[in-house]
Amino acid sequence: MEATDAALYATLMRQAPAGLAFFDTGLRCLRANAVLPELLGVPGADPRQRRPHEFLPDDLAGAFETALRTVLAEDRPIPEADLTVPRPRQENPPAPVVEPPVPVPGPPATTVAAGTRVLSCAWLPVRGADGGPAGVVLTALDVTERRRAEEVIRRKEQRYRSLVEASSQVVWVASPDGGVIDDAPEWRSITGQTPDDYAVGGWLAVVHPEDRPRIEAIWRECVADNRVFETNYRIRTKSGQYRHFDVRAVPIWRADTVIEWVGANTDVTGQREAEEMRGRLTEQLSAAALRTARLQQATSMLAEALTVSQVVQVITEVGRSAIGADYSAVALLDDDKLRLSVVTPSPPGGESRPESRPSSRDEIKVSDQTVMSVAVRESRPFLAEHPDSLRLQLGRDEAGLFTQHTEERAWVGLPLLAAGAPIGALRFSFTRPREITEEERVFLEALAGQCALAVERALLFEREHKTAEELQRSLLPSDLPQLPGMVLAARYNPATRHVQVGGDWYDVFRLPDDRLAVAVGDVMGKGVLAAAGMGRVRNALRALALNDPRPAAVLAGLDRLFSATEDEEQFTTVAYAVIDPETGHGAFSNAGHPPPLLISADSPARVSGLEPGTPLGWPSQRQQTSFSIETGNTVVFYSDGLVENRRRGVDAGLEELVAVAADAPPEVVGDPERLVDFLVDRMLAGYEQVDDVTVLALHVPPKPV
């Protein structure tokens, strides 16, 4: 046995990779293997029978002696203690891995500096035969590479932790089946969960109740299929509020087996709130842009609306579509300023719209307690967001009686102000309670302002319109002569919409010798001024015809009158004929007017090829020609508005007129009333009418058999 122990001792001292030494109670090294000096950085030194300060550098010797005295004094081992020693100068150690320092909470870790090595030392007490202390055994093992590897791992963990903390992510770990295996202090600090709460329910316990069934189902599916779990949900925080989190969890594989799940939650509440705010701002900007577009649309449409009824139609349609109102109405003050008269809109196509004012009366007293009456009396917007608000403002009795007979539940009344004084009121209503925002109120007030200006303009226009109609009736024949051997029909279409007067005119009257005077003329321009000029020419023609009915004489007289009384820029044309209704024979003269259309029963339709002459007032020698309307034939006089427009020249128009007349059925040609309608409809179809149109047809029917 002693031989075996001696062999074992000798083997350890010679071949063990660790440094071995025995120190007595006086700190003297009695035994040491050859590896120890090499590890301590003093190769070749013989530590035997020497104390540490006799063969080691001072700082290293101090560490040795401190450890030895501690073991001897306390009679306890120091099982593992790292000792950093310098490498021998002749060694060429590998270049150290340079890692930036990263502070990490917890106990400090050994950092391996360049040119040093780390020894893991164990100091073990040795007792003698009497049980007393006999010395200390030292074992020293080079763990430099292990410590470097541990340091690399530690620094990677530090980086990962720092990255997680910098990104405000909360990391958690779950078992392969999705259960809790590790505590998550950061998660609990947000949610207020205790360790026991988290251990039982985990992160799912604080998910919003509305989100939990969906999230739990997705989580279970991902765990079952071992696929990435990625979603978002709301979490109840320790304050009781809910915040939005995005989550991503991935399975961690070892070979073909999932050993755990690692998840990261990111608080995206600020992002969600910013997105919601951006959405609200976008909606507000879109609504503002829409309201601006509606006002621009109203401006454009009001520019074309000439009557009060058309103005009301534009305003109510634009307002209702812009704020989603169910009903609308406009009422104007009567001349006595005591009553409001509701104006019925004039929709396209003439359709009635009774739903536009389901509960409105045709007349409302300004003194009544109604939405529009209050708006007019107080010259301010009236807003009632629900029936209770209406009762509070109008009085319970009046509002209660009103709401019993209507489905309306919110109201807006706006005064129509012209020069600061009310001229009426605009009203919108809703079938549900409705709050009007400040932006909508500003829009509605602007709309009411446009409505007031347009109504004021329309009222002025309608007064002019009424005057124009009366003037028109006085300037055109109220009816045409009824003759046994000739049938006459006429049409007049003014170019100016809704003002039934223009510069075109026609006239048919009997002369003292029973012959028929027929005239068609065109005064340049439109509207009342053109009509006034037309009236002067028409009256002068009648006076001249009664004195000398010959066409050339009448046009010559009009030339003299025109030169003396009309402006040089005035352009007027006249076609004038004198016809014997018994025979159809007559004379004709033309002052720059389009040639008459001749339609015969036995020959193609054509326009007269006679020279038209110059307009009135232009120096010329007036000529007259004879012509005859045979039995069954028709002659049509017309103005240039029938054949000329922006897309069609005069020559093309004349060719088209002949073609249209040729297509007229015999029953139309034989009926002047139907013929003039046929010609006007066909010639204007597909074209915008930009000039007055006058058509006069004379037809000699066949003699009865």
Side-chain angles (χ1 to χ4, degrees), residues 9 12-13 19-25 28 31 36 64 67-68 71-72 76-79 121-127 134-140:
Y9 172 76
L12 288 174
M13 297 299 287
L20 301 174
F22 172 69
F23 293 85
D24 63 14
T25 55
R28 189 180 304 277
R31 299 283 188 274
L36 182 62
F64 260 61
L68 291 170
V71 172
L72 291 171
R76 65 174 181 84
I78 300 176
C121 299
W123 308 85
L124 308 174
V126 178
R127 295 178 179 83
V136 178
V137 172
L138 164 67
T139 64

Side-chain angles (χ1 to χ4, degrees), residues 12 15-20 33 35-36 39 139-142:
L12 288 174
Q15 299 182 16
L20 301 174
N33 66 353
V35 175
L36 182 62
L39 294 178
T139 64
L141 183 66
D142 188 348

Side-chain angles (χ1 to χ4, degrees), residues 37-39 41-43 86-94 115-117 142:
E38 295 289 339
L39 294 178
V42 287
R87 290 179 180 274
R89 293 183 179 180
Q90 65 270 24
E91 293 186 18
N92 295 314
T116 63
R117 63 160 56 103
D142 188 348

Side-chain angles (χ1 to χ4, degrees), residues 120-181:
S120 178
C121 299
W123 308 85
L124 308 174
V126 178
R127 295 178 179 83
D130 58 358
V136 178
V137 172
L138 164 67
T139 64
L141 183 66
D142 188 348
V143 293
T144 304
E145 296 306 320
R146 183 195 306 171
R147 294 292 185 262
R148 281 179 175 155
E150 291 173 351
E151 185 176 356
V152 170
I153 294 174
R154 178 175 57 83
R155 289 186 178 275
K156 289 182 178 179
E157 291 176 349
Q158 290 174 343
R159 293 193 188 98
Y160 172 72
R161 183 178 295 276
S162 299
L163 179 61
V164 169
E165 291 177 353
S167 62
S168 300
Q169 288 186 325
V170 179
V171 178
W172 49 270
V173 180
S175 63
D177 62 357
V180 173
I181 55 175

Side-chain angles (χ1 to χ4, degrees), residues 184-234:
E186 294 178 358
W187 177 258
R188 291 191 296 99
S189 69
I190 294 173
T191 62
Q193 290 178 297
T194 65
D196 292 340
D197 293 336
Y198 184 76
V200 173
W203 55 270
L204 278 169
V206 289
V207 174
H208 194 288
E210 295 178 359
D211 298 340
R212 190 177 303 157
R214 171 180 63 89
I215 297 302
E216 189 168 8
I218 297 174
W219 172 238
R220 297 305 174 198
E221 291 175 2
C222 291
V223 169
D225 298 339
N226 291 329
R227 55 185 173 85
V228 175
F229 172 68
E230 190 168 13
T231 184
N232 57 76
Y233 45 69
R234 290 166 290 175

Side-chain angles (χ1 to χ4, degrees), residues 400-675:
L401 181 62
F402 170 75
T403 55
Q404 289 177 5
H405 298 86
T406 179
E407 59 180 347
E408 301 172 36
R409 291 296 176 266
W411 300 264
V412 178
L414 300 146
L416 302 180
L417 304 176
I423 61 173
L426 175 61
R427 176 180 181 274
F428 295 103
S429 58
F430 308 83
T431 57
R432 64 198 182 285
R434 172 73 151 79
E435 179 182 357
I436 299 298
T437 65
E438 183 62 26
E439 292 80 6
E440 290 175 329
R441 175 172 174 159
V442 171
F443 164 77
L444 290 173
E445 289 182 1
L447 185 66
Q450 286 192 340
C451 181
L453 293 175
V455 166
E456 191 176 32
R457 185 183 68 244
L459 290 172
L460 180 63
F461 174 85
E462 288 184 349
R463 285 194 291 269
E464 180 181 349
H465 169 64
K466 183 177 180 180
T467 301
E469 284 186 332
E470 293 176 353
L471 177 61
Q472 181 71 45
R473 284 193 295 270
S474 68
L475 295 178
L476 294 178
S478 57
D479 51 52
L480 297 174
Q482 300 296 319
L483 304 173
M486 185 174 291
V487 183
L488 295 87
R491 291 291 180 273
Y492 173 76
N493 284 9
T496 305
R497 293 179 304 136
H498 309 296
V499 179
Q500 303 300 320
V501 65
D504 280 16
W505 59 281
Y506 65 90
D507 198 4
V508 181
F509 57 92
R510 281 185 175 276
L511 296 170
D513 58 4
D514 289 334
R515 286 186 298 171
L516 199 64
V518 178
V520 177
D522 184 0
V523 177
M524 181 182 65
K526 303 174 183 66
V528 175
L529 292 178
M534 173 262 284
R536 290 192 296 271
V537 174
R538 174 178 176 271
N539 292 335
L541 185 143
R542 281 207 172 201
L544 291 169
L546 293 175
N547 181 55
D548 184 353
R550 292 176 303 148
V554 169
L555 294 187
L558 288 176
D559 282 334
R560 294 191 297 272
L561 178 65
F562 203 89
S563 298
T565 60
E566 303 297 327
D567 294 336
E568 293 182 359
E569 294 81 8
Q570 184 64 56
F571 188 91
T572 301
T573 63
V574 176
Y576 172 63
V578 176
I579 304 172
D580 184 347
E582 295 293 334
T583 63
H585 299 297
F588 171 74
S589 188
N590 191 349
H593 206 73
L597 173 68
L598 306 175
I599 304 176
S600 175
D602 53 5
S603 62
R606 59 187 178 86
V607 293
S608 173
L610 298 175
E611 181 66 31
T614 60
L616 293 180
W618 292 30
S620 66
Q621 183 68 35
R622 297 299 174 187
Q623 304 292 328
Q624 72 178 40
T625 59
S626 59
F627 78 98
S628 176
I629 307 176
E630 303 296 335
T631 299
N633 292 354
T634 304
V635 61
V636 180
F637 299 93
Y638 53 92
S639 62
D640 59 357
L642 183 68
V643 295
E644 183 181 20
N645 54 49
R646 294 191 180 100
R647 296 165 47 198
R648 182 174 61 193
V650 174
D651 292 339
L654 291 175
E655 293 179 0
E656 188 170 344
L657 177 63
V658 171
V660 168
D663 288 342
E667 62 273 15
V668 171
V669 174
D671 184 349
E673 290 286 346
R674 296 176 62 184
L675 178 62

